[in-house]
Amino acid sequence: MGLFMLEPSFRDPNRISRRTATLGVVALAALLTACGGSDGDASTNAGATATLAVLETTDLHFNVRSYDYFKLADDKSYGFERTATLVRAARKEFANTLLVDNGDTIQGTALADYEATINPIPCTQQLSMYKAMGALGFDAGTLGNHEFNYGLPFLNQVLGGGLDVDGVDATKKCAGAGYPAVLANVYSSKTKKPLVQPYTLLERTLVAKGTDGKEVKLPIKVGVIGFTTPGIMNWDKRYLEGKVYTEGAVEAATKYVPELRSKGADIVVALLHGGLDSAAYTATMENPGLYLSKVAGIDAMVMGHQHSVFPDTAATPAFSQAGVDNKAGTINGVPAVMASSWGKALGVIQLSLQWDGTKWAVNKAASKSELRNIQSKNAAGATVYVDPDATVAPLIETQHQAAIKYVKTPIGQTDFRMSTLFADVGDPGAIQIVNQAQQAYVAAYIKANLPQYAALPVLSVSAPFKSGFQGGADYTDVAVGPLAINNAADLYLYPNTVYAVKVNGGDIKNWLEAAAKRFNQIDPAKTGEQQLISTFPGYNYDMFTTADVQYEIDVTQPVGSRIKNLTYLGKPIDVAQEFVIATNNYRATSGKSFSDKLDGSGTIWASPDANRDVVVDYIRKNPAVTRAANGAAKSWRFTKVATAGPVVFSSGANALPVAQAAGLANVSLLAADDGSGKGTSKYRLDLSK
Ligand code: MN
Ligand code: MG
């Protein structure tokens, strides 16, 4: 396709130099030969060596700035403006670098949504993310699953045109990404050809070391090939069905890597928007890195999508499957990296190259890879951050400010104060809308895409993510009045994604028993004060908020025996009945202590969408948020029991009216200051009411 890279406005002298358009490889070689015996004569330099540092960004998710558009606050722990500093440092360190992006680039922040859907970026302008990347000058990139989130016409525009697929004007010429996009395993149904070019062959000049120890410049052809997750066909079915189709990464590589080699690639770098999974290979596998690495002819592999890290020097590394070598930084012997997400790290693969007089080969054993993080600990143990590159932020400042204005724009309004101040004792006011949004989202997806589960009830659980751990201000607390997009961060603190799990009634009972660890065991006979809330985190206190599911929590009983009178649609729950529960990726994959199905095995759909975005969408569609419709459905209550002494808990200071507004007549204020120094009051819960 007609993607030709714009010359970046900034060119670092240490980047491996691009050939000029007028002096091709053949012409250059002829010229050098004509000079006869100069240190540029390739043929006399057999045995020369060079290091090529492949630098990877992945899953940037449009985080140009170190800025949280939900909290409307700086967050130094991520942002391309800081990764950019690591790129510049690497270019000073290495004579030869190749900068690649591994996809999930154009979606993920409010700025991304703003430029895609709210005030779409014109054809003549680059996306702010690409503009920022242009300040550094990328050599190539692939597409992640999220590149498809805004549909094919938008993707065509932001890539500069050339997507020959139904519903898209392939002849449209737009500003483009600024670097060649490569993707070998997604095809246009119309043309039966790859949607974008499967690979690119970059012709560069390497600064090498001759056998005499002197510097010598030698030509290299670097093949770069890309692969994305076949899951796009499910996740963006509405945009992609009938228009494109996918192939497995291994199948596509087996086809195109030899082609790339036959066209003269000295080395081949694979950009896999996917990671590692030890399950058996299939053509729709989401994370096929263990298998792609075994395809002959791949010299280096950059990975992503899992937002994880490789190599990992931690005692318990993120990946430890057979073939994974965290020390060597290789996957089945192939040098590889996975550079976290959001610009938190730069992946660096140092490829050790040897020149035989006509071409380069990689010495894999002498190559190595590492991650360089923007966040680290200094000698005193304090967290320190790499400074932002000063050239990045000014490039997008106007759009950045526009996005901030956008997230402050009301998308709805609430007639009640949505708070987690009393979520532990029964106020569903800030949780029900999350459950409603998750339930609606999963139910709609199952109806459209997973007919095999269409007969199962879809329920949702969520938890009070902010529940006082940091003190009296650490509660979700959205005021009556306009609801803006940034309020969704308060309603859903973490950047989780929605997962759907299939469980049965017995699993639900176990799940709720685990969640009820939130409470200490109360002795009704004890005359002294007893603290209700345990050290079990509030974000693990999963609850239903629907009339359909009802249960009691008997805090006088030990952990594991507290859930009583659990009913579904008014009848005791059938332990064998199957349900789909909407939850988050975290619980679905690492919730084994809640249910043995929450180790990933019960997941029927790992959605690509953030719970927070799902909440925003729900409010857009249901803008009049009311206590009656969105904040009053209690699924549970404490089992009534008279206690000899007071049962107490702490919450935000002087917030009793919030409990009263939620109809919690069994809560009273005992002390305006609970003495913890955390800005909290002491409340009493009367369990007999
Ligand atoms: Mn991603
Ligand atoms: Mg991804």
Side-chain angles (χ1 to χ4, degrees):
M1 51 179 272
L3 262 181
F4 191 79
M5 61 189 108
L6 304 171
E7 275 301 304
S9 56
F10 175 90
R11 294 201 36 198
D12 190 304
N14 287 318
R15 286 182 72 197
I16 59 176
S17 52
R18 294 166 190 275
R19 298 297 176 85
T20 63
T22 51
L23 192 65
V25 196
V26 176
L28 181 62
L31 181 70
L32 295 174
T33 307
C35 292
S38 81
D39 73 349
D41 184 346
S43 61
T44 64
N45 283 294
T49 57
T51 298
L52 172 60
V54 178
L55 312 178
E56 179 207 28
T57 58
T58 190
D59 297 271
L60 288 172
H61 283 286
F62 223 117
N63 288 285
V64 178
R65 298 286 313 277
S66 299
Y67 187 82
D68 185 329
Y69 290 93
F70 286 106
K71 293 180 180 161
L72 298 174
D74 289 328
D75 188 333
K76 294 176 179 175
S77 69
Y78 57 82
F80 177 71
E81 60 178 327
R82 289 171 205 272
T83 339
T85 300
L86 298 177
V87 172
R88 294 218 202 274
R91 283 180 176 161
K92 285 210 177 79
E93 182 181 341
F94 301 106
N96 308 299
T97 60
L98 188 79
L99 179 58
V100 295
D101 180 72
N102 201 35
D104 277 6
T105 313
I106 70 167
Q107 179 277 344
T109 61
L111 178 55
D113 288 339
Y114 179 76
E115 294 192 351
T117 61
I118 306 304
N119 186 12
I121 197 92
C123 172
T124 52
Q125 282 180 40
Q126 285 185 293
L127 284 178
S128 288
M129 188 71 245
Y130 287 146
K131 208 169 170 186
M133 293 164 82
L136 277 293
F138 276 68
D139 292 285
T142 192
L143 306 182
N145 49 301
H146 285 286
E147 264 62 65
F148 296 90
N149 288 169
Y150 301 116
L152 291 168
F154 182 77
L155 183 61
N156 182 56
Q157 176 190 318
V158 301
L159 291 182
L163 267 58
D164 195 0
V165 62
D166 281 346
V168 171
D169 177 8
T171 65
K172 192 170 173 174
K173 292 273 178 286
C174 296
Y179 56 83
V182 294
L183 187 60
N185 70 325
V186 177
Y187 292 79
S188 164
S189 303
K190 181 180 165 190
T191 66
K192 309 282 188 278
K193 290 186 177 132
L195 181 66
V196 304
Q197 58 186 339
Y199 54 75
T200 185
L201 194 55
L202 303 171
E203 298 179 8
R204 300 287 193 259
T205 300
L206 284 185
V207 177
K209 194 164 94 176
T211 47
D212 57 2
K214 286 185 186 156
E215 183 180 300
V216 57
K217 290 189 171 145
L218 293 165
I220 185 169
K221 288 187 185 177
V222 181
V224 183
I225 182 168
F227 310 91
T228 198
T229 48
I232 58 170
M233 298 308 300
N234 292 322
W235 301 327
D236 283 306
K237 190 174 182 173
R238 66 198 181 286
Y239 293 135
L240 303 182
E241 192 172 37
K243 298 198 170 74
V244 302
Y245 58 94
T246 64
E247 190 174 52
V250 168
E251 288 82 352
T254 304
K255 190 186 308 177
Y256 289 117
V257 170
E259 195 176 303
L260 201 38
R261 289 277 178 191
S262 73
K263 286 186 179 175
D266 292 285
I267 67 167
V268 172
V269 178
L271 313 185
L272 172 63
H273 188 81
L276 303 171
D277 178 353
S278 56
Y281 179 76
T282 69
T284 55
M285 189 173 199
E286 189 168 350
N287 297 296
L290 288 171
Y291 304 96
L292 182 64
S293 61
K294 289 183 178 168
V295 174
I298 291 176
D299 294 300
M301 185 169 73
V302 309
M303 304 181 289
H305 179 63
Q306 290 172 311
H307 293 203
S308 192
V309 291
F310 180 83
D312 187 1
T313 52
T316 310
F319 299 107
S320 55
Q321 296 95 332
V324 174
D325 188 334
N326 280 287
K327 271 210 183 74
T330 56
I331 309 293
N332 294 315
V334 175
V337 283
M338 186 189 293
S340 188
S341 62
W342 296 18
K344 284 177 246 177
L346 179 71
V348 180
I349 302 176
Q350 293 182 48
L351 284 176
S352 175
L353 301 176
Q354 288 172 328
W355 176 254
D356 70 359
T358 54
K359 61 183 187 304
W360 289 99
V362 174
N363 178 350
K364 286 179 183 165
S367 300
K368 56 187 170 182
S369 65
E370 65 182 299
L371 294 192
R372 297 180 176 186
N373 298 310
I374 65 171
Q375 181 178 323
S376 60
K377 296 263 190 230
N378 68 12
T383 301
V384 291
Y385 303 90
V386 167
D387 286 333
D389 182 279
T391 66
V392 172
L395 292 173
I396 67 144
E397 180 59 14
T398 307
Q399 292 292 88
H400 173 62
Q401 292 304 334
I404 288 171
K405 199 172 160 202
Y406 153 62
V407 296
K408 291 177 174 172
T409 308
I411 53 170
Q413 59 172 51
T414 173
D415 78 347
F416 72 106
R417 182 175 171 183
M418 306 172 83
S419 135
T420 56
L421 283 156
F422 297 93
D424 281 329
V425 294
D427 177 8
I431 297 169
Q432 187 180 350
I433 199 160
V434 173
N435 276 335
Q436 288 174 313
Q438 292 180 172
Q439 195 278 342
Y441 173 78
V442 168
Y445 185 85
I446 287 176
K447 193 169 174 224
N449 301 295
L450 297 171
Q452 66 272 40
Y453 303 118
L456 303 186
V458 179
L459 300 168
S460 176
V461 293
S462 190
F465 295 110
K466 294 167 79 176
S467 50
F469 183 73
Q470 314 276 0
D474 181 26
Y475 290 91
T476 297
D477 199 1
V478 178
V480 173
L483 278 173
I485 288 162
N486 66 297
N487 291 128
D490 208 7
L491 290 167
Y492 203 104
L493 180 65
Y494 297 109
N496 293 337
T497 50
V498 176
Y499 272 44
V501 295
K502 183 165 73 81
V503 298
N504 61 33
D507 298 317
I508 289 176
K509 164 87 162 44
N510 293 340
W511 193 331
L512 295 173
E513 288 286 3
K517 291 179 193 164
R518 178 67 175 159
F519 307 110
N520 291 318
Q521 186 173 0
I522 300 298
D523 178 355
K526 208 167 162 184
T527 52
E529 204 172 84
Q530 296 183 75
Q531 286 288 343
L532 178 68
I533 310 296
S534 72
T535 56
F536 186 76
Y539 55 73
N540 282 334
Y541 183 36
D542 282 354
M543 65 180 79
F544 293 96
T545 55
T546 168
D548 293 352
V549 180
Q550 295 288 308
Y551 52 102
E552 288 180 13
I553 298 173
D554 186 346
V555 289
T556 67
Q557 298 303 307
V559 164
S561 311
R562 293 172 165 181
I563 303 301
K564 296 195 168 158
N565 301 323
L566 174 58
T567 63
Y568 174 65
L569 298 179
K571 293 182 189 132
I573 203 161
D574 175 355
V575 293
Q577 183 181 353
E578 292 189 317
F579 296 86
V580 173
I581 312 283
T583 178
N584 60 58
N585 56 317
Y586 188 85
R587 183 71 73 250
T589 61
S590 58
K592 213 169 163 48
S593 62
F594 291 73
S595 158
D596 56 14
K597 307 236 175 79
L598 295 177
D599 60 355
S601 62
T603 300
I604 60 161
W605 181 41
S607 96
D609 288 322
N611 301 65
R612 190 187 273 169
D613 292 339
V614 166
V615 171
V616 169
D617 275 359
Y618 186 83
I619 296 172
R620 278 190 207 281
K621 288 176 190 146
N622 305 274
V625 175
T626 65
R627 169 73 82 179
N630 310 104
K634 298 183 175 105
S635 274
W636 63 276
R637 54 156 300 131
F638 292 111
T639 299
K640 284 185 189 178
V641 57
T643 59
V647 173
V648 304
F649 65 97
S650 291
S651 185
N654 299 310
L656 189 61
V658 176
Q660 290 166 340
L664 298 172
N666 53 353
V667 175
S668 55
L669 180 68
L670 277 187
D673 181 350
D674 66 3
S676 68
K678 291 167 81 179
T680 39
S681 292
K682 187 198 279 187
Y683 299 88
R684 178 179 179 177
L685 176 71
D686 185 346
L687 283 170
S688 72
K689 287 188 183 162

